[in-house]
Amino acid sequence: MSKITLTSYGATQEVTGSCHLLNVDGFRLLIDCGLYQGDLNNYFKNWEEFGFSAKNINAVILTHAHLDHCGRLPKLIKEGFQGKIYTTPPTAKLVEIVLADNLKIMSEKIAHSKYQPLYSAADLSNTNKKFLPVEYGQNFKINDNISFTLHQAGHILGAAIVKLKIFGKTIIFTGDIGSENMPLVKDIEYFDQADYVIMESTYGDRLHAQVKNRDAVLIQAIQRVTAQNSTLVMSEFAIERAQDILKVLNDYYEKHLDFRVPVYLDSPMADVVTKVYKKYTSYFNDAVQDSLKRDRDIFDFPHLKITSESRFSKNINTAQPPKIILAGSGMADGGRIIHHLAQYASDPKNYILFMGFQVPGTLGHRFTSGAFDFSYLGRKVPIHCAVDQIDGFSAHADQAGLMKWVGHFQNQPKIFLVHGNPEAMTVLAQKINNELKLKADILLRQTSVEL
Ligand SMILES: [Zn+2]
């Protein structure tokens, strides 16, 4: 009798460390192998054992290039994984950048701890050799019993929902669920039938504000600092959101050729990622394909200055306002944005815009929750500038989006929730049970279920 078991080794009742194992009659297929992120306690879980032997894993399917889905792949390879990692072509390219950047960040993060980096540059290059790109929609047969197709997730470039066929059963892993009407990527795909759905639940208890007028909020912000002759600082998430925002600014600047306020992209990582986006334009949605007919470079526009080298970055401070600065990290828990916040936060005319959810404990959260000051290099910097947060560029579906996606099934799949905090999961599970009459359970760590 054929047997399929599902066991999760991460992102159970938490939002990081995605790692789900399917055992199909002894063939072990891993979906994602992500990093634990957040505070140091959580971060050091990455150094614990996987809970399975890396040598026994036969294949990996990777949903997308966010670190919480791919960040422990080099550890898997270091510990003896010999198989292939299946993913879309853009994801394979983005993961290289993300993992290399992570190695730098990790070394800084653990500098004063007893830990050594999880992996070396050599492990990284071995990881990059394991990728086997699979296009969206292509039916890929792993063996006689297991095949899969990758579908649009509406999340970030290359992100996929994985639909597996195993012994005639359909098993869907959502990865991260994005949404419709994203500025660049294609709309998320919906499904009619499945037997099992392993579903993320990050925003299971929350609705995003401002999705409809996100571009307008951004444009108002740049008009406001122009009128006040001041500085706008925007927090950048290097993958997808940075490119989404560059595209919105591109459209504005191309239309208003007399508008001359300089935009500084002060994020080396966002710059490198944007180059990947430029290479994979065929993966963008129809509206962007239309724009590309008129404008060959939708991420480059008059008055955009890319300051990847730090010597150019320093010139930003001396440039006369008005000016616009895009810098990472997205939650200001590191990166060049911190220096800009120190420089500009004390002037009430300046404006700081955080481009998405800010996790408690980050400097971004301190700003968006109304703090009066913050510490920078041993001194207190008062926060007198205007501060706002735009949620509309989030690459994650909110509760309504999750319900719409899961409500599309025409049969009665069994739902397992992963990748959410316990409160979000409980709210979403109840909503799915009550409103859609589907059975939704919360998957527990290292607790196997038979499919
Ligand atoms: Zn993601």
Side-chain angles (χ1 to χ4, degrees), residues 144-188:
D144 285 347
N145 303 323
I146 308 172
S147 64
F148 71 89
T149 43
L150 302 176
H151 298 263
Q152 300 289 342
H155 180 53
I156 63 168
L157 180 67
I161 294 171
V162 183
K163 183 165 99 173
L164 286 142
K165 277 267 183 216
I166 305 177
F167 299 132
K169 288 179 185 164
T170 302
I171 303 165
I172 292 178
F173 285 84
T174 65
D176 282 350
I177 296 182
S179 55
E180 294 169 342
N181 303 316
M182 290 286 286
L184 297 168
V185 296
K186 292 181 179 166
D187 284 352
I188 185 168

mmCIF file of all heavy atoms in Angstrom, residues 144-188:
data_model
loop_
_atom_site.group_PDB
_atom_site.id
_atom_site.type_symbol
_atom_site.label_atom_id
_atom_site.label_comp_id
_atom_site.label_asym_id
_atom_site.label_seq_id
_atom_site.Cartn_x
_atom_site.Cartn_y
_atom_site.Cartn_z
ATOM 1 N N ASP A 144 8.306 7.861 -11.077
ATOM 2 C CA ASP A 144 7.056 7.284 -11.580
ATOM 3 C C ASP A 144 5.838 7.683 -10.743
ATOM 4 O O ASP A 144 4.713 7.708 -11.241
ATOM 5 C CB ASP A 144 7.157 5.747 -11.616
ATOM 6 C CG ASP A 144 8.029 5.299 -12.781
ATOM 7 O OD1 ASP A 144 8.303 6.156 -13.654
ATOM 8 O OD2 ASP A 144 8.461 4.131 -12.793
ATOM 9 N N ASN A 145 6.060 8.005 -9.468
ATOM 10 C CA ASN A 145 4.929 8.286 -8.580
ATOM 11 C C ASN A 145 4.680 9.773 -8.339
ATOM 12 O O ASN A 145 3.603 10.160 -7.900
ATOM 13 C CB ASN A 145 5.163 7.639 -7.205
ATOM 14 C CG ASN A 145 5.385 6.155 -7.324
ATOM 15 O OD1 ASN A 145 4.756 5.492 -8.150
ATOM 16 N ND2 ASN A 145 6.303 5.617 -6.528
ATOM 17 N N ILE A 146 5.710 10.582 -8.566
ATOM 18 C CA ILE A 146 5.630 11.994 -8.159
ATOM 19 C C ILE A 146 5.875 12.915 -9.346
ATOM 20 O O ILE A 146 6.905 12.832 -10.009
ATOM 21 C CB ILE A 146 6.709 12.333 -7.085
ATOM 22 C CG1 ILE A 146 6.657 11.337 -5.921
ATOM 23 C CG2 ILE A 146 6.544 13.767 -6.591
ATOM 24 C CD1 ILE A 146 7.805 11.491 -4.922
ATOM 25 N N SER A 147 4.923 13.808 -9.605
ATOM 26 C CA SER A 147 5.170 14.872 -10.581
ATOM 27 C C SER A 147 4.631 16.174 -10.000
ATOM 28 O O SER A 147 3.855 16.170 -9.035
ATOM 29 C CB SER A 147 4.507 14.555 -11.920
ATOM 30 O OG SER A 147 3.110 14.516 -11.756
ATOM 31 N N PHE A 148 5.077 17.295 -10.572
ATOM 32 C CA PHE A 148 4.603 18.576 -10.050
ATOM 33 C C PHE A 148 4.555 19.633 -11.145
ATOM 34 O O PHE A 148 5.213 19.504 -12.181
ATOM 35 C CB PHE A 148 5.495 19.058 -8.891
ATOM 36 C CG PHE A 148 6.866 19.522 -9.309
ATOM 37 C CD1 PHE A 148 7.104 20.837 -9.667
ATOM 38 C CD2 PHE A 148 7.935 18.623 -9.347
ATOM 39 C CE1 PHE A 148 8.367 21.267 -10.061
ATOM 40 C CE2 PHE A 148 9.209 19.044 -9.746
ATOM 41 C CZ PHE A 148 9.426 20.371 -10.096
ATOM 42 N N THR A 149 3.765 20.673 -10.895
ATOM 43 C CA THR A 149 3.812 21.883 -11.726
ATOM 44 C C THR A 149 3.916 23.087 -10.791
ATOM 45 O O THR A 149 3.432 23.049 -9.650
ATOM 46 C CB THR A 149 2.543 22.069 -12.597
ATOM 47 O OG1 THR A 149 1.391 21.774 -11.806
ATOM 48 C CG2 THR A 149 2.556 21.194 -13.825
ATOM 49 N N LEU A 150 4.561 24.136 -11.298
ATOM 50 C CA LEU A 150 4.712 25.375 -10.539
ATOM 51 C C LEU A 150 3.730 26.400 -11.103
ATOM 52 O O LEU A 150 3.574 26.507 -12.322
ATOM 53 C CB LEU A 150 6.153 25.892 -10.645
ATOM 54 C CG LEU A 150 7.220 24.911 -10.166
ATOM 55 C CD1 LEU A 150 8.628 25.469 -10.404
ATOM 56 C CD2 LEU A 150 7.032 24.584 -8.678
ATOM 57 N N HIS A 151 3.085 27.126 -10.216
ATOM 58 C CA HIS A 151 2.043 28.085 -10.628
ATOM 59 C C HIS A 151 2.330 29.459 -10.041
ATOM 60 O O HIS A 151 2.992 29.573 -9.002
ATOM 61 C CB HIS A 151 0.673 27.591 -10.146
ATOM 62 C CG HIS A 151 0.294 26.283 -10.754
ATOM 63 N ND1 HIS A 151 -0.515 26.195 -11.862
ATOM 64 C CD2 HIS A 151 0.635 25.009 -10.439
ATOM 65 C CE1 HIS A 151 -0.665 24.918 -12.198
ATOM 66 N NE2 HIS A 151 0.025 24.180 -11.349
ATOM 67 N N GLN A 152 1.771 30.476 -10.692
ATOM 68 C CA GLN A 152 1.984 31.856 -10.233
ATOM 69 C C GLN A 152 1.484 32.033 -8.795
ATOM 70 O O GLN A 152 0.357 31.666 -8.480
ATOM 71 C CB GLN A 152 1.215 32.851 -11.122
ATOM 72 C CG GLN A 152 1.624 32.830 -12.578
ATOM 73 C CD GLN A 152 3.010 33.414 -12.813
ATOM 74 O OE1 GLN A 152 3.552 34.138 -11.968
ATOM 75 N NE2 GLN A 152 3.592 33.094 -13.965
ATOM 76 N N ALA A 153 2.332 32.660 -7.968
ATOM 77 C CA ALA A 153 1.935 32.918 -6.584
ATOM 78 C C ALA A 153 1.588 34.384 -6.341
ATOM 79 O O ALA A 153 1.114 34.744 -5.266
ATOM 80 C CB ALA A 153 3.048 32.495 -5.632
ATOM 81 N N GLY A 154 1.849 35.252 -7.335
ATOM 82 C CA GLY A 154 1.539 36.688 -7.161
ATOM 83 C C GLY A 154 2.291 37.328 -6.007
ATOM 84 O O GLY A 154 1.818 38.288 -5.392
ATOM 85 N N HIS A 155 3.473 36.819 -5.727
ATOM 86 C CA HIS A 155 4.194 37.221 -4.507
ATOM 87 C C HIS A 155 5.447 38.035 -4.843
ATOM 88 O O HIS A 155 5.443 39.247 -4.666
ATOM 89 C CB HIS A 155 4.508 35.949 -3.727
ATOM 90 C CG HIS A 155 5.237 36.153 -2.450
ATOM 91 N ND1 HIS A 155 4.804 37.011 -1.466
ATOM 92 C CD2 HIS A 155 6.385 35.597 -1.974
ATOM 93 C CE1 HIS A 155 5.658 36.970 -0.450
ATOM 94 N NE2 HIS A 155 6.629 36.128 -0.741
ATOM 95 N N ILE A 156 6.496 37.371 -5.302
ATOM 96 C CA ILE A 156 7.676 38.076 -5.806
ATOM 97 C C ILE A 156 8.085 37.403 -7.110
ATOM 98 O O ILE A 156 7.587 36.312 -7.432
ATOM 99 C CB ILE A 156 8.863 38.049 -4.805
ATOM 100 C CG1 ILE A 156 9.345 36.616 -4.548
ATOM 101 C CG2 ILE A 156 8.509 38.753 -3.512
ATOM 102 C CD1 ILE A 156 10.666 36.524 -3.804
ATOM 103 N N LEU A 157 9.005 38.015 -7.832
ATOM 104 C CA LEU A 157 9.459 37.450 -9.102
ATOM 105 C C LEU A 157 9.877 35.987 -8.894
ATOM 106 O O LEU A 157 10.682 35.682 -8.009
ATOM 107 C CB LEU A 157 10.647 38.262 -9.633
ATOM 108 C CG LEU A 157 11.232 37.796 -10.959
ATOM 109 C CD1 LEU A 157 10.255 38.013 -12.107
ATOM 110 C CD2 LEU A 157 12.546 38.512 -11.257
ATOM 111 N N GLY A 158 9.319 35.099 -9.701
ATOM 112 C CA GLY A 158 9.700 33.685 -9.641
ATOM 113 C C GLY A 158 8.956 32.856 -8.608
ATOM 114 O O GLY A 158 9.059 31.631 -8.607
ATOM 115 N N ALA A 159 8.195 33.488 -7.722
ATOM 116 C CA ALA A 159 7.533 32.736 -6.647
ATOM 117 C C ALA A 159 6.480 31.790 -7.210
ATOM 118 O O ALA A 159 5.762 32.130 -8.151
ATOM 119 C CB ALA A 159 6.884 33.683 -5.647
ATOM 120 N N ALA A 160 6.412 30.599 -6.614
ATOM 121 C CA ALA A 160 5.511 29.580 -7.150
ATOM 122 C C ALA A 160 4.681 28.907 -6.060
ATOM 123 O O ALA A 160 5.126 28.743 -4.926
ATOM 124 C CB ALA A 160 6.324 28.517 -7.884
ATOM 125 N N ILE A 161 3.465 28.537 -6.462
ATOM 126 C CA ILE A 161 2.653 27.596 -5.707
ATOM 127 C C ILE A 161 2.963 26.239 -6.329
ATOM 128 O O ILE A 161 3.014 26.108 -7.549
ATOM 129 C CB ILE A 161 1.158 27.928 -5.857
ATOM 130 C CG1 ILE A 161 0.856 29.285 -5.201
ATOM 131 C CG2 ILE A 161 0.290 26.822 -5.257
ATOM 132 C CD1 ILE A 161 -0.553 29.807 -5.472
ATOM 133 N N VAL A 162 3.194 25.229 -5.493
ATOM 134 C CA VAL A 162 3.594 23.915 -6.010
ATOM 135 C C VAL A 162 2.394 22.976 -5.990
ATOM 136 O O VAL A 162 1.793 22.753 -4.926
ATOM 137 C CB VAL A 162 4.713 23.298 -5.131
ATOM 138 C CG1 VAL A 162 5.171 21.971 -5.716
ATOM 139 C CG2 VAL A 162 5.882 24.268 -5.002
ATOM 140 N N LYS A 163 2.037 22.445 -7.163
ATOM 141 C CA LYS A 163 0.954 21.453 -7.217
ATOM 142 C C LYS A 163 1.566 20.095 -7.526
ATOM 143 O O LYS A 163 2.100 19.881 -8.621
ATOM 144 C CB LYS A 163 -0.071 21.845 -8.280
ATOM 145 C CG LYS A 163 -1.254 20.880 -8.318
ATOM 146 C CD LYS A 163 -2.413 21.459 -9.092
ATOM 147 C CE LYS A 163 -2.422 20.892 -10.488
ATOM 148 N NZ LYS A 163 -3.621 21.285 -11.244
ATOM 149 N N LEU A 164 1.494 19.208 -6.563
ATOM 150 C CA LEU A 164 2.071 17.871 -6.722
ATOM 151 C C LEU A 164 0.995 16.847 -7.040
ATOM 152 O O LEU A 164 -0.134 16.939 -6.516
ATOM 153 C CB LEU A 164 2.754 17.448 -5.419
ATOM 154 C CG LEU A 164 4.088 18.129 -5.097
ATOM 155 C CD1 LEU A 164 4.190 18.394 -3.620
ATOM 156 C CD2 LEU A 164 5.251 17.262 -5.580
ATOM 157 N N LYS A 165 1.344 15.904 -7.884
ATOM 158 C CA LYS A 165 0.501 14.720 -8.094
ATOM 159 C C LYS A 165 1.289 13.530 -7.578
ATOM 160 O O LYS A 165 2.371 13.228 -8.080
ATOM 161 C CB LYS A 165 0.235 14.525 -9.592
ATOM 162 C CG LYS A 165 -0.902 15.358 -10.116
ATOM 163 C CD LYS A 165 -2.208 14.564 -10.057
ATOM 164 C CE LYS A 165 -3.333 15.404 -10.655
ATOM 165 N NZ LYS A 165 -4.594 15.214 -9.960
ATOM 166 N N ILE A 166 0.760 12.888 -6.559
ATOM 167 C CA ILE A 166 1.451 11.734 -5.987
ATOM 168 C C ILE A 166 0.443 10.599 -5.844
ATOM 169 O O ILE A 166 -0.565 10.750 -5.148
ATOM 170 C CB ILE A 166 2.060 12.077 -4.608
ATOM 171 C CG1 ILE A 166 2.991 13.310 -4.736
ATOM 172 C CG2 ILE A 166 2.822 10.893 -4.047
ATOM 173 C CD1 ILE A 166 3.587 13.789 -3.431
ATOM 174 N N PHE A 167 0.694 9.503 -6.493
ATOM 175 C CA PHE A 167 -0.256 8.369 -6.502
ATOM 176 C C PHE A 167 -1.674 8.852 -6.821
ATOM 177 O O PHE A 167 -2.639 8.451 -6.178
ATOM 178 C CB PHE A 167 -0.278 7.638 -5.151
ATOM 179 C CG PHE A 167 1.029 7.035 -4.749
ATOM 180 C CD1 PHE A 167 1.543 7.233 -3.474
ATOM 181 C CD2 PHE A 167 1.756 6.237 -5.629
ATOM 182 C CE1 PHE A 167 2.739 6.673 -3.095
ATOM 183 C CE2 PHE A 167 2.972 5.672 -5.257
ATOM 184 C CZ PHE A 167 3.469 5.886 -3.986
ATOM 185 N N GLY A 168 -1.784 9.777 -7.747
ATOM 186 C CA GLY A 168 -3.115 10.258 -8.147
ATOM 187 C C GLY A 168 -3.709 11.298 -7.215
ATOM 188 O O GLY A 168 -4.756 11.890 -7.518
ATOM 189 N N LYS A 169 -3.072 11.546 -6.077
ATOM 190 C CA LYS A 169 -3.598 12.583 -5.164
ATOM 191 C C LYS A 169 -2.984 13.928 -5.510
ATOM 192 O O LYS A 169 -1.819 13.996 -5.914
ATOM 193 C CB LYS A 169 -3.247 12.246 -3.715
ATOM 194 C CG LYS A 169 -4.037 11.088 -3.163
ATOM 195 C CD LYS A 169 -3.627 10.795 -1.741
ATOM 196 C CE LYS A 169 -4.361 9.551 -1.259
ATOM 197 N NZ LYS A 169 -3.771 8.967 -0.061
ATOM 198 N N THR A 170 -3.754 14.992 -5.335
ATOM 199 C CA THR A 170 -3.241 16.341 -5.591
ATOM 200 C C THR A 170 -2.930 17.024 -4.262
ATOM 201 O O THR A 170 -3.808 17.154 -3.400
ATOM 202 C CB THR A 170 -4.276 17.175 -6.374
ATOM 203 O OG1 THR A 170 -4.561 16.482 -7.590
ATOM 204 C CG2 THR A 170 -3.749 18.560 -6.697
ATOM 205 N N ILE A 171 -1.689 17.436 -4.128
ATOM 206 C CA ILE A 171 -1.229 18.087 -2.893
ATOM 207 C C ILE A 171 -0.645 19.438 -3.272
ATOM 208 O O ILE A 171 0.258 19.514 -4.107
ATOM 209 C CB ILE A 171 -0.162 17.226 -2.183
ATOM 210 C CG1 ILE A 171 -0.742 15.832 -1.886
ATOM 211 C CG2 ILE A 171 0.332 17.909 -0.903
ATOM 212 C CD1 ILE A 171 0.297 14.795 -1.531
ATOM 213 N N ILE A 172 -1.180 20.506 -2.686
ATOM 214 C CA ILE A 172 -0.725 21.856 -3.042
ATOM 215 C C ILE A 172 -0.008 22.504 -1.859
ATOM 216 O O ILE A 172 -0.540 22.543 -0.745
ATOM 217 C CB ILE A 172 -1.922 22.731 -3.485
ATOM 218 C CG1 ILE A 172 -2.478 22.200 -4.825
ATOM 219 C CG2 ILE A 172 -1.510 24.200 -3.626
ATOM 220 C CD1 ILE A 172 -3.684 22.950 -5.348
ATOM 221 N N PHE A 173 1.200 22.988 -2.121
ATOM 222 C CA PHE A 173 1.933 23.811 -1.147
ATOM 223 C C PHE A 173 1.890 25.249 -1.656
ATOM 224 O O PHE A 173 2.331 25.522 -2.769
ATOM 225 C CB PHE A 173 3.390 23.360 -1.032
ATOM 226 C CG PHE A 173 3.573 22.085 -0.263
ATOM 227 C CD1 PHE A 173 3.431 20.852 -0.893
ATOM 228 C CD2 PHE A 173 3.888 22.114 1.086
ATOM 229 C CE1 PHE A 173 3.602 19.667 -0.187
ATOM 230 C CE2 PHE A 173 4.063 20.938 1.804
ATOM 231 C CZ PHE A 173 3.919 19.707 1.165
ATOM 232 N N THR A 174 1.386 26.139 -0.837
ATOM 233 C CA THR A 174 1.200 27.509 -1.344
ATOM 234 C C THR A 174 2.492 28.322 -1.370
ATOM 235 O O THR A 174 2.576 29.296 -2.110
ATOM 236 C CB THR A 174 0.195 28.291 -0.477
ATOM 237 O OG1 THR A 174 0.747 28.448 0.836
ATOM 238 C CG2 THR A 174 -1.138 27.604 -0.424
ATOM 239 N N GLY A 175 3.506 27.941 -0.575
ATOM 240 C CA GLY A 175 4.591 28.910 -0.367
ATOM 241 C C GLY A 175 3.944 30.149 0.215
ATOM 242 O O GLY A 175 3.015 30.029 1.025
ATOM 243 N N ASP A 176 4.367 31.334 -0.202
ATOM 244 C CA ASP A 176 3.694 32.547 0.261
ATOM 245 C C ASP A 176 2.640 32.957 -0.761
ATOM 246 O O ASP A 176 2.909 32.998 -1.956
ATOM 247 C CB ASP A 176 4.702 33.682 0.452
ATOM 248 C CG ASP A 176 5.480 33.516 1.754
ATOM 249 O OD1 ASP A 176 5.091 32.649 2.570
ATOM 250 O OD2 ASP A 176 6.463 34.245 1.947
ATOM 251 N N ILE A 177 1.453 33.260 -0.259
ATOM 252 C CA ILE A 177 0.345 33.638 -1.136
ATOM 253 C C ILE A 177 0.371 35.143 -1.355
ATOM 254 O O ILE A 177 0.275 35.915 -0.408
ATOM 255 C CB ILE A 177 -1.002 33.202 -0.514
ATOM 256 C CG1 ILE A 177 -1.032 31.666 -0.428
ATOM 257 C CG2 ILE A 177 -2.175 33.739 -1.318
ATOM 258 C CD1 ILE A 177 -2.321 31.107 0.124
ATOM 259 N N GLY A 178 0.515 35.532 -2.592
ATOM 260 C CA GLY A 178 0.512 36.953 -2.943
ATOM 261 C C GLY A 178 -0.882 37.399 -3.289
ATOM 262 O O GLY A 178 -1.851 36.915 -2.705
ATOM 263 N N SER A 179 -0.974 38.288 -4.270
ATOM 264 C CA SER A 179 -2.321 38.780 -4.562
ATOM 265 C C SER A 179 -2.459 39.136 -6.023
ATOM 266 O O SER A 179 -1.568 38.909 -6.822
ATOM 267 C CB SER A 179 -2.616 39.983 -3.669
ATOM 268 O OG SER A 179 -1.609 40.935 -3.840
ATOM 269 N N GLU A 180 -3.594 39.722 -6.337
ATOM 270 C CA GLU A 180 -3.836 40.204 -7.679
ATOM 271 C C GLU A 180 -3.406 41.666 -7.749
ATOM 272 O O GLU A 180 -3.236 42.316 -6.725
ATOM 273 C CB GLU A 180 -5.334 40.098 -7.990
ATOM 274 C CG GLU A 180 -5.795 38.669 -8.037
ATOM 275 C CD GLU A 180 -7.301 38.548 -8.078
ATOM 276 O OE1 GLU A 180 -7.989 39.535 -7.738
ATOM 277 O OE2 GLU A 180 -7.786 37.477 -8.437
ATOM 278 N N ASN A 181 -3.265 42.139 -8.968
ATOM 279 C CA ASN A 181 -2.938 43.550 -9.188
ATOM 280 C C ASN A 181 -1.639 44.002 -8.544
ATOM 281 O O ASN A 181 -1.534 45.115 -8.049
ATOM 282 C CB ASN A 181 -4.085 44.454 -8.709
ATOM 283 C CG ASN A 181 -5.377 44.103 -9.409
ATOM 284 O OD1 ASN A 181 -5.388 43.893 -10.625
ATOM 285 N ND2 ASN A 181 -6.458 43.990 -8.652
ATOM 286 N N MET A 182 -0.670 43.115 -8.513
ATOM 287 C CA MET A 182 0.657 43.540 -8.074
ATOM 288 C C MET A 182 1.248 44.396 -9.197
ATOM 289 O O MET A 182 0.936 44.190 -10.370
ATOM 290 C CB MET A 182 1.530 42.313 -7.815
ATOM 291 C CG MET A 182 1.119 41.511 -6.588
ATOM 292 S SD MET A 182 1.565 42.331 -5.053
ATOM 293 C CE MET A 182 3.353 42.038 -5.047
ATOM 294 N N PRO A 183 2.114 45.351 -8.852
ATOM 295 C CA PRO A 183 2.645 46.231 -9.912
ATOM 296 C C PRO A 183 3.412 45.485 -11.008
ATOM 297 O O PRO A 183 3.375 45.896 -12.156
ATOM 298 C CB PRO A 183 3.579 47.169 -9.145
ATOM 299 C CG PRO A 183 3.068 47.160 -7.748
ATOM 300 C CD PRO A 183 2.526 45.783 -7.517
ATOM 301 N N LEU A 184 4.093 44.402 -10.682
ATOM 302 C CA LEU A 184 4.958 43.749 -11.676
ATOM 303 C C LEU A 184 4.574 42.303 -11.981
ATOM 304 O O LEU A 184 4.399 41.934 -13.140
ATOM 305 C CB LEU A 184 6.414 43.767 -11.189
ATOM 306 C CG LEU A 184 7.040 45.142 -11.009
ATOM 307 C CD1 LEU A 184 8.364 45.041 -10.255
ATOM 308 C CD2 LEU A 184 7.274 45.809 -12.366
ATOM 309 N N VAL A 185 4.479 41.479 -10.955
ATOM 310 C CA VAL A 185 4.313 40.047 -11.211
ATOM 311 C C VAL A 185 2.885 39.724 -11.633
ATOM 312 O O VAL A 185 1.961 40.515 -11.422
ATOM 313 C CB VAL A 185 4.716 39.181 -9.978
ATOM 314 C CG1 VAL A 185 6.189 39.347 -9.680
ATOM 315 C CG2 VAL A 185 3.865 39.488 -8.771
ATOM 316 N N LYS A 186 2.734 38.557 -12.242
ATOM 317 C CA LYS A 186 1.409 38.136 -12.700
ATOM 318 C C LYS A 186 0.514 37.801 -11.506
ATOM 319 O O LYS A 186 1.004 37.538 -10.413
ATOM 320 C CB LYS A 186 1.555 36.910 -13.607
ATOM 321 C CG LYS A 186 2.243 37.259 -14.910
ATOM 322 C CD LYS A 186 2.379 36.072 -15.839
ATOM 323 C CE LYS A 186 3.071 36.543 -17.118
ATOM 324 N NZ LYS A 186 3.547 35.476 -17.964
ATOM 325 N N ASP A 187 -0.782 37.790 -11.783
ATOM 326 C CA ASP A 187 -1.750 37.489 -10.721
ATOM 327 C C ASP A 187 -1.566 36.075 -10.196
ATOM 328 O O ASP A 187 -1.180 35.162 -10.936
ATOM 329 C CB ASP A 187 -3.178 37.607 -11.261
ATOM 330 C CG ASP A 187 -3.619 39.050 -11.409
ATOM 331 O OD1 ASP A 187 -2.877 39.951 -10.959
ATOM 332 O OD2 ASP A 187 -4.704 39.272 -11.980
ATOM 333 N N ILE A 188 -1.893 35.903 -8.942
ATOM 334 C CA ILE A 188 -1.883 34.579 -8.323
ATOM 335 C C ILE A 188 -2.871 33.660 -9.060
ATOM 336 O O ILE A 188 -3.912 34.117 -9.538
ATOM 337 C CB ILE A 188 -2.238 34.695 -6.831
ATOM 338 C CG1 ILE A 188 -2.104 33.333 -6.150
ATOM 339 C CG2 ILE A 188 -3.615 35.277 -6.605
ATOM 340 C CD1 ILE A 188 -2.150 33.394 -4.645
#
